[in-house]
Amino acid sequence: MAEAQFGAETSKRGEWVRQANRFTDRITADGSSGWPVEPGRYRLVVSLACPWAHRSVIVRRLLGLEDVLSLGVVDPIRDEAGWRFGLDPDGRDPVTGISHLSEAYLAADPEFAGRYTVPAILDVAERKVVTNDYPQITLDLSTQWAAHHREGAPQLYPEHLRAEIDEVNAEVYADVNNGVYRCGFATSQQAYEEAFERLFARLDRLSERLADQRYLVGDTITEADVRLFTTLVRFDAVYHGHFKCNRQKLTELPVLWAYARDLFQTPGFGDTVDFDHIKRHYYATHHQINPTGIVPAGPDLSGWRTPHGRESLGGRPFGDGTPPA
């Protein structure tokens, strides 16, 4: 399937409407879902450019699931058939043998007519999608896959904080994670400006929340931090200019810039970021926004490694656990 036509996923008012996740089966510890957790059975397919997929890469690394759940990375540039395994020898995923993610979608549902999205977890033997439910994937990696976590893995979704994490995640999703897309893909001035106002109003409230606490919920890294980070790390590189989210750059928001640098410098976060994939995907794939396909040379990325000073707020990134190797 070709990339969705510009405007095809917008309302009559010009508002961006995200495609619902089609495959929502869960992989569970007790196998009651029909898909039991089994080391080596499944493959996580991601684009390093995609913020929704990036979440699963971070969580997989923080929890130490690399030897249990294999990782396939698609080319950042989609072709007319969607995400492809162009980075692998002969253009095929070395584990499943497929050349395009679409093959796994159509194996699961031959009538599927939507966009082929990442992240997706495939059953290796059957070469078909089990789930593309990106919000649930990371939560299940924390809960259903717990028996296979590394020693010292952090508690990213602790039971006593789940209600607060869920509340923060819902607000961040609506106004920030999805908000930047609602700005970038709006097809009317009114829809764009409404999304723009909601985005920066939420960023202002997040700045207030994080001014006196190191992490979003509790005193350790949680799922909430993972979800906000993947948008913040892309903000200046693509969302500020490409998606017209230009009231301020991240580097001009002191609290959020320090918070993002703190996470970037934490093992499991910055070492999973690929700015080359990020920039090439957005600028070379969204032809309706950037018809020339020119990829900007900037921004300067050296600031990501500068001191952030947020240790003074206390908190321990991994709680009683340890960082990934």
Side-chain angles (χ1 to χ4, degrees), residues 145-166:
W145 293 71
H148 302 285
H149 291 178
R150 65 178 176 85
E151 184 177 354
Q155 295 293 316
L156 299 177
Y157 196 50
E159 287 192 37
H160 69 288
L161 294 177
R162 287 180 188 177
E164 186 177 0
I165 292 171
D166 291 346

Side-chain angles (χ1 to χ4, degrees), residues 4-5 14 38 56 73 86 178 180 192 215 223 247 276 313 325:
Q5 182 180 356
E38 292 181 13
S56 60
V73 178
N178 201 46
V180 293
Y192 160 71
Y215 303 111
E223 174 81 14
R247 190 192 79 177
D276 172 63
L313 297 175

Side-chain angles (χ1 to χ4, degrees), residues 66-144:
E66 292 96 331
D67 294 334
V68 178
L69 177 64
S70 67
L71 184 70
V73 178
V74 295
D75 194 291
I77 308 300
R78 292 189 302 241
D79 65 16
E80 65 281 356
W83 296 110
R84 58 193 175 93
F85 291 92
L87 305 177
D88 295 304
D90 301 320
R92 292 190 175 275
D93 176 38
V95 172
T96 63
I98 62 177
S99 61
H100 286 79
L101 183 57
S102 59
E103 297 173 46
Y105 271 75
L106 295 174
D109 179 5
E111 303 301 318
F112 181 76
R115 288 184 297 110
Y116 311 112
T117 62
V118 288
I121 296 183
L122 316 187
D123 179 281
V124 171
E126 298 187 30
R127 303 198 304 177
K128 70 179 184 180
V129 173
V130 175
T131 177
N132 71 339
D133 191 0
Y134 61 88
Q136 193 62 47
I137 285 174
T138 50
L139 298 183
D140 283 345
L141 292 180
S142 283
T143 57
Q144 301 300 315

